[in-house]
Amino acid sequence: MSNLIIHRGTKEIGGSAVEIETETTKLLFDFGIPLESMEKKDYRLEDYRLPIKGLYKNEKPLFQAVFLTHAHPDHYGLIKLINPEIPVYMSKITFDILTKITPLTNKEGYENLDNLKIIDDEPVEIGDIKVTAHRVDHSIAGACAYEILADGKTVIYTGDLRFHGNASWQSSIFKRKIKKPDYMIMEGTTLGRLEQDIVTENDLLPMFIEIFEGDKLPLVQFSPQNLDRFVTVYNACREAKKTLVIDPYTCYFLEICKSLSKNIPQNSWNNIAVYFAKSGATDKLAETKTLYKYKSKKVTEEEILKNPEKYVIKGNWAINDKILNKMDKSKFSIIFSMWKGYLDRPNQFENYKDIITLLHVSGHAYVEDLQRFVETVRPKHLIPIHTEYSEKYRDLFNANIIVLEDGQKLNL
């Protein structure tokens, strides 16, 4: 007899935690911190601790392993609470992000966690459960879904995925490989956005080019961990004959990810300059002498302000703080290329909302793509997660829907 428990995520986006157990083996898939933590200046990880026995430090471990789908905090943010005897598996890029990138911006990095393990494309057998990772497209590199075989039942956990990014082929391969699983736990982030326009990453390119070719200094706000967006912005700069100004943190992240594809721009490429704005990440890179590698591409604040027609700025807190106050806002084009909900939280653009252009593509599958996904995979049972609209599954998907509550045990 095997069981499934969604400890968190049946009624919210983020904070996901899914348990699969047999009589002898317990596994956890994702252990994220809820999105509400982003609205707080200070919080303790303990504030979001779930009542899961045998998972935490200072207690006898009852779990044999934890598996992470990707490196967004709402899927990994609580792993520091886990007993260090329990291995935590993830893709190679997720491992690199947690151990090399996260320490630059987080007071307590993950580089010293000895229980982090890398999972490749081969199945991993933990006790009497077999787990296979499948690469999928998402707004961060290294995302994967999991195929779990327990007591003769197949469970698919999609994590976060989409079918419209530059790596959509990964999600398409995953869709073709998976046929008629007994249960599929599927994200439904976009179910509350049924009226949204369907936009792909390729659709953004001409929009960016048009803005960059204007007579104002463009500042584009997006996460450097969204490699698709970085490639789009860089290609738009090339077309518009502009130099993209980035920070050392972004340089380092691009370095970490260059093994993924030869098409990922690097700081040494043409049309890239580096602005050494002071920040915690810059200071940490200076300590390891990493900054010296970017010295030849250095551009100063004075050069940018003197020749704004030459540049496009990839915004971050440190750069924005320096640049926005030095020019009249009528001379800026500000492009917000992230989820627009972030603008409702404290940010640096409160006085610039009247000149902001929103250009973004969701990191999550559109409803129509999820419907095609379900039609192709044909799961015997479909279980909502990572959504605020679990009841809508019954109306939108042709499948046997099982709506669970957080903490509810389902016999598989």
Side-chain angles (χ1 to χ4, degrees):
M1 176 71 72
S2 56
N3 300 302
L4 161 69
I5 304 172
I6 299 178
H7 291 283
R8 183 161 47 211
T10 63
K11 298 294 187 296
E12 65 184 283
I13 295 171
S16 301
V18 179
E19 177 182 341
I20 304 286
E21 66 168 352
T22 65
E23 291 184 0
T24 61
T25 307
K26 281 178 177 282
L27 303 181
L28 190 70
F29 294 84
D30 282 340
F31 196 35
I33 192 163
L35 291 178
E36 69 173 55
S37 65
M38 297 177 60
E39 300 176 6
K40 300 180 179 180
K41 290 184 178 180
D42 296 301
Y43 64 84
R44 300 179 311 127
L45 295 183
E46 290 284 347
D47 295 340
Y48 298 99
R49 181 184 175 115
L50 289 165
I52 306 175
K53 293 183 179 180
L55 180 64
Y56 300 106
K57 298 174 182 177
N58 303 319
E59 62 182 26
K60 180 181 178 181
L62 299 178
F63 283 78
Q64 283 67 48
V66 175
F67 292 81
L68 302 181
T69 56
H70 62 283
H72 280 152
D74 62 321
H75 291 259
Y76 77 78
L78 297 180
I79 62 171
K80 289 180 186 176
L81 300 179
I82 292 174
N83 190 310
E85 295 181 33
I86 301 173
V88 181
Y89 289 87
M90 64 204 72
S91 69
K92 173 63 165 60
I93 291 300
T94 297
F95 178 87
D96 286 342
I97 292 172
L98 292 190
T99 59
K100 299 176 182 178
I101 300 299
T102 304
L104 297 177
T105 57
N106 193 311
K107 291 180 180 179
E108 299 179 20
Y110 297 82
E111 69 273 27
N112 296 320
L113 294 184
D114 295 331
N115 57 334
L116 303 189
K117 309 293 181 183
I118 296 172
I119 186 171
D120 54 26
D121 296 329
E122 295 300 317
V124 173
E125 294 190 13
I126 308 289
D128 58 354
I129 301 179
K130 181 188 288 187
V131 179
T132 304
H134 296 272
R135 308 303 176 210
V136 294
D137 180 32
H138 186 39
S139 54
I140 191 170
C144 58
Y146 287 106
E147 178 183 0
I148 305 127
L149 183 61
D151 280 346
K153 299 291 179 66
T154 300
V155 180
I156 301 299
Y157 173 44
T158 66
D160 292 354
L161 83 168
R162 63 180 180 180
F163 297 86
H164 56 266
N166 292 343
S168 59
W169 57 272
Q170 292 180 321
S171 295
S172 296
I173 290 174
F174 168 58
K175 181 169 69 172
R176 291 197 298 269
K177 281 185 176 181
I178 303 302
K179 298 297 180 185
K180 295 183 179 180
D182 296 286
Y183 300 87
M184 184 159 75
I185 310 164
M186 186 182 77
E187 73 125 313
T189 308
T190 61
L191 267 61
R193 314 171 192 168
L194 296 179
E195 304 302 320
Q196 73 179 137
D197 294 331
I198 297 178
V199 182
T200 70
E201 196 68 37
N202 287 336
D203 294 329
L204 295 186
L205 181 60
M207 302 179 193
F208 276 115
I209 292 173
E210 182 178 359
I211 294 174
F212 292 175
E213 288 179 336
D215 58 359
K216 298 181 180 181
L217 174 62
L219 187 151
V220 189
Q221 190 77 9
F222 67 98
S223 169
Q225 296 186 17
N226 187 339
L227 288 176
D228 281 11
R229 192 61 35 77
F230 191 93
V231 170
T232 298
V233 170
Y234 176 75
N235 286 338
C237 285
R238 291 184 60 189
E239 291 292 326
K241 296 180 173 53
K242 298 290 181 75
T243 295
L244 178 59
V245 178
I246 63 177
D247 60 287
Y249 171 84
T250 301
C251 292
Y252 187 60
F253 183 78
L254 295 172
E255 264 187 76
I256 295 300
C257 294
K258 67 180 179 181
S259 62
L260 289 172
S261 170
K262 63 181 180 180
N263 295 321
I264 295 174
Q266 299 297 308
N267 73 88
S268 58
W269 288 23
N270 293 332
N271 302 91
I272 285 185
V274 182
Y275 177 55
F276 287 75
K278 184 173 178 55
S279 67
T282 301
D283 291 343
K284 290 179 180 179
L285 289 171
E287 291 172 5
T288 61
K289 302 189 186 311
T290 303
L291 286 186
Y292 290 108
K293 294 191 290 185
Y294 317 137
K295 186 177 179 181
S296 64
K297 303 303 291 286
K298 180 179 180 180
V299 65
T300 65
E301 175 188 331
E302 290 73 25
E303 290 176 282
I304 296 170
L305 296 174
K306 184 178 180 180
N307 302 288
E309 73 283 355
K310 293 183 178 180
Y311 299 104
V312 171
I313 298 172
K314 190 229 148 302
N316 72 8
W317 186 91
I319 292 177
N320 299 348
D321 190 53
K322 290 288 185 180
I323 298 294
L324 288 177
N325 296 324
K326 299 295 175 63
M327 287 176 57
D328 187 273
K329 75 175 185 179
S330 63
K331 297 182 179 180
F332 282 103
S333 291
I334 297 180
I335 305 99
F336 196 79
S337 198
M338 304 173 72
W339 176 54
K340 64 181 180 180
Y342 292 134
L343 287 173
D344 297 327
R345 298 169 181 173
N347 62 79
Q348 295 173 300
F349 300 110
E350 189 61 38
N351 298 323
Y352 297 86
K353 290 184 177 180
D354 56 325
I355 63 166
I356 288 178
T357 299
L358 295 173
L359 288 182
H360 185 49
V361 168
S362 177
H364 303 270
Y366 297 116
V367 173
E368 292 86 345
D369 286 331
L370 289 175
Q371 289 173 323
R372 285 189 286 267
F373 178 51
V374 172
E375 288 172 3
T376 299
V377 174
R378 291 185 291 168
K380 295 177 184 177
H381 304 88
L382 183 64
I383 302 173
I385 195 172
H386 207 272
T387 184
E388 297 174 341
Y389 299 92
S390 57
E391 293 298 333
K392 286 189 176 182
Y393 277 60
R394 302 187 195 281
D395 299 325
L396 293 170
F397 302 108
N398 183 21
N400 181 16
I401 310 298
I402 300 176
V403 177
L404 298 176
E405 299 292 329
D406 285 356
Q408 180 181 349
K409 181 180 290 189
L410 175 69
N411 296 325
L412 301 180

